[in-house]
Amino acid sequence: MTIHWCGTGLSAIPGLKRLIELGYPVTVWNRTVSKAQEAIGSDTTDIRPFDQGALSNALRQGDTVVSMLPGDWHVPLAQAAIQAGAHFVSSSYIAPEMRALDLAAKEAGVVLMNEVGLDPGIDHLMAHHLVAAYRTSSAYDDANTISFTSYCGGVPKHANPFRYKFSWAPVGVLKALRSPSKSIRAGQEFDVARPWDAVSSYDAPLPTPETFEVYPNRDSLPFMAEYHFDPKWQVKEFVRGTLRLNGWADAWRDVFTEIEANPTDARLQEMSDSLLAENSYGPGEPDRVIMCVDLKAENDAGTIWHQTYAMDAWGDARGTAMARLVSIPVSLAVQAAQSGAVKPGVHAAPNDLQMVANWMAEIDRLAQHLNIVDHMTDSL
């Protein structure tokens, strides 16, 4: 049962190394073999040039395909996996085309596991834990009003004037700024055309409390069902969003102006090149990842249940925090798929509470700080 790991970019290596060190048979596929050899060659010699046809021919029943490639590759590789009776794992959001493979995966008896990186991924695990903890608490009541926020951001450990640094070309970040979002605010759907129209302040309950700028992204609403919110619940707030250092909105104002003018792809590339040259991480410079997932229940008397799952991690001798927190959960998903711990079909990060606890115990070893803050009892 070979693991076919496709892609050896900056966020792929720790999880890949972990599987190799655990003794799993692994074949590495990368578009540039020399780059893969530089990144992982000291751990394995089974490195091949990525080619979908060659990969499909190499697949055997019970194998697992891991795609750390751009999103356009996920569905074709998942289809190839189904045809071979192999599992598939990616850290990316489940696209409609991936969701449509659910029946075929079940008929083939294979797992297509996605959303198992940092965000999406670890945030799902935190949310499942909090919702389950609230449901089993003495404070639970169908009549309570619920507020949920989930914020995650990768930022420089040592702030720069731009309040952000890049590990790779920023084109994807710039394109994301053109994306609308949908969330719930004050009990109503809240539609935002551009992130900078909805920047607000968030006080993160870290060991040293810290304030960040946050904004909603994508469409948060489907995740209410994903997180097992009861349709009867009165939801006051529900948002999954991005976290940035204070001062980010002001530092990026000129970028927002350019994006609002709907620049051409050529102009976006020019902007990307300039931003990368001026605001990239230096060799060995630490990054930082902050994640806070918060669930609060209120009634007429006020807040009756309120907890936050908070994480703070930064680059160290093990490498970047982002790479650890993206790829190690991917490796956990590979193990789950191969061991039969997950039923056939298309899945996001697990909601089984024992599996959630096991994965979060691993995450605890990756982050410098991870805890659950109970706002009803803890003094911050």
Side-chain angles (χ1 to χ4, degrees):
M1 295 189 291
T2 301
I3 298 163
H4 299 268
W5 189 288
C6 304
T8 58
L10 293 174
S11 292
I13 301 305
L16 172 55
K17 286 175 67 75
R18 177 177 178 271
L19 292 171
I20 293 170
E21 290 169 357
L22 287 173
Y24 285 86
V26 176
T27 297
V28 177
W29 302 80
N30 202 55
R31 286 177 288 186
T32 306
V33 170
S34 60
K35 289 184 178 180
Q37 289 171 334
E38 182 180 349
I40 198 70
S42 60
D43 296 273
T44 182
T45 58
D46 192 355
I47 300 174
R48 308 180 191 181
F50 175 75
D51 175 82
Q52 186 177 352
L55 172 60
S56 296
N57 290 334
L59 285 176
R60 298 292 180 268
Q61 186 171 0
D63 286 356
T64 300
V65 178
V66 179
S67 179
M68 300 298 281
L69 299 171
D72 290 348
W73 281 107
H74 297 339
V75 169
L77 292 181
Q79 291 171 327
I82 291 172
Q83 291 173 357
H87 308 296
F88 173 85
V89 176
S90 90
S91 62
S92 298
Y93 280 101
I94 299 174
E97 297 83 1
M98 180 69 71
R99 184 79 66 186
L101 298 177
D102 183 60
L103 179 58
K106 289 176 177 175
E107 290 175 345
V110 301
V111 174
L112 308 184
M113 207 161 182
N114 304 265
E115 303 186 12
V116 287
L118 167 62
D119 172 9
I122 296 174
D123 54 339
H124 292 347
L125 303 175
M126 292 178 171
H128 289 314
H129 173 91
L130 292 177
V131 171
Y134 166 61
R135 280 181 171 275
T136 57
S137 73
S138 59
Y140 180 82
D141 191 312
D142 283 344
N144 292 338
T145 299
I146 304 299
S147 296
F148 174 91
T149 60
S150 177
Y151 294 119
C152 179
V155 301
K157 180 75 166 67
H158 306 299
N160 60 333
F162 195 57
R163 317 305 285 172
Y164 194 81
K165 288 193 174 184
F166 302 96
S167 299
W168 50 75
V171 169
V173 174
L174 297 179
K175 289 182 177 179
L177 291 174
R178 299 192 291 195
S179 302
S181 68
K182 186 184 293 289
S183 55
I184 293 178
R185 178 181 288 185
Q188 302 294 321
E189 285 194 14
F190 182 55
D191 296 323
V192 177
R194 297 288 186 264
W196 56 85
D197 293 328
V199 176
S200 59
S201 184
Y202 176 72
D203 296 324
L206 301 173
T208 300
E210 195 170 344
T211 302
F212 297 93
E213 293 179 359
V214 294
Y215 58 87
N217 59 29
R218 305 177 70 94
D219 183 358
S220 295
L221 303 190
F223 291 92
M224 287 191 287
E226 179 75 21
Y227 296 159
H228 298 165
F229 273 44
D230 194 304
K232 298 190 297 289
W233 290 358
Q234 301 176 58
V235 180
K236 177 181 177 181
E237 185 173 13
F238 190 96
V239 58
R240 299 177 71 255
T242 298
L243 177 150
R244 295 287 182 251
L245 293 176
N246 262 349
W248 172 81
D250 284 340
W252 281 58
R253 195 160 305 281
D254 290 345
V255 175
F256 301 155
T257 300
E258 286 248 22
I259 296 295
E260 210 155 24
N262 196 26
T264 64
D265 287 346
R267 176 56 187 149
L268 273 180
Q269 189 60 55
E270 289 178 3
M271 294 170 63
S272 173
D273 293 343
S274 175
L275 290 171
L276 184 62
E278 297 169 2
N279 301 282
S280 61
Y281 282 98
E285 183 179 356
D287 66 331
R288 184 185 180 197
V289 172
I290 305 101
M291 177 179 284
C292 294
V293 179
D294 185 281
L295 182 67
K296 179 168 67 174
E298 301 171 282
N299 62 16
D300 292 340
T303 301
I304 55 171
W305 196 94
H306 187 192
Q307 291 187 9
T308 306
Y309 220 135
M311 179 178 73
D312 195 357
W314 50 88
D316 57 21
R318 297 171 291 178
T320 69
M322 184 67 70
R324 296 198 304 270
L325 295 168
V326 170
S327 65
I328 296 294
V330 168
S331 73
L332 296 173
V334 170
Q335 291 180 289
Q338 289 208 333
S339 68
V342 180
K343 294 180 180 179
V346 176
H347 299 278
N351 56 45
D352 175 82
L353 294 182
Q354 185 58 59
M355 195 177 297
V356 168
N358 292 342
W359 284 33
M360 291 309 299
E362 185 69 33
I363 304 307
D364 193 18
R365 289 188 280 271
L366 306 178
Q368 279 82 356
H369 171 76
L370 182 71
N371 80 328
I372 300 170
V373 178
D374 187 338
H375 298 268
M376 309 304 294
T377 60
D378 294 353
S379 177
L380 298 177

